[in-house]
Amino acid sequence: MTGPTDVPIVENGDVVLVRQRVREAALDLGLSLVDQTKVVTAASELARNALVYAGGGRMRLHVVDEGRRRGIRLEFSDDGPGIPDIGKALTEGWSSGRGLGLGLTGSRRLMDDFDLVSTPGKGTVVTVTKWAR
């Protein structure tokens, strides 16, 4: 894979496309089956969040190379309503009422690096990375 891959998320089928692109990249990078499953699951949860809570968004996938380590970095962004209380949203089991409360916290647990930036009224960007072992 060369350069970043962008996938718009505007309908349910796009969540499937996100999963496929992430699985292909994880396989190409040589991630273990367990790590492939983790990164695909996190990507699915984050794509679904963008669709359900923001009405859509986009995923940018990068293969990152930092000297001795390589990995997959996924950036999910949207122009939705944002998250008014990030601390609450990252509390295990908390839900806005429309889900199980596993999307953000589950993704954070599955990935090696997790970053969330959200501005109410402007949108959200979640960036996650899984490093090859």
Side-chain angles (χ1 to χ4, degrees):
M1 185 174 97
T2 59
T5 299
D6 291 316
V7 179
I9 304 166
V10 294
E11 60 184 21
N12 284 325
D14 296 330
V15 176
V16 175
L17 187 57
V18 163
R19 291 176 61 90
Q20 290 170 341
R21 294 293 180 268
V22 170
R23 182 172 305 281
E24 290 166 5
L27 189 59
D28 288 349
L29 187 62
L31 292 183
S32 71
L33 184 57
V34 170
D35 282 346
Q36 289 177 42
T37 302
K38 287 178 179 181
V39 73
V40 168
T41 301
S44 182
E45 290 293 326
L46 294 170
R48 173 101 22 234
N49 276 3
L51 188 60
V52 170
Y53 296 106
R58 59 214 141 278
M59 177 199 71
R60 176 166 271 201
L61 183 154
H62 306 264
V63 172
V64 291
D65 192 341
E66 292 186 356
R68 293 184 184 197
R69 63 184 190 167
R70 295 186 72 214
I72 296 174
R73 180 165 295 142
L74 309 174
E75 179 183 287
F76 291 85
S77 58
D78 65 63
D79 298 320
I83 301 171
D85 187 339
I86 293 173
K88 187 183 279 186
L90 291 174
T91 301
E92 195 78 35
W94 182 86
S95 172
S96 66
R98 293 186 269 180
L100 299 173
L102 300 174
L104 290 174
T105 57
S107 296
R108 181 171 64 177
R109 217 177 21 257
L110 291 169
M111 300 298 284
D112 297 320
D113 299 329
F114 179 95
D115 183 62
L116 184 151
V117 176
S118 187
T119 304
K122 298 201 182 222
T124 301
V125 177
V126 179
T127 306
V128 293
T129 306
K130 176 57 80 178
W131 296 106
R133 310 213 185 288

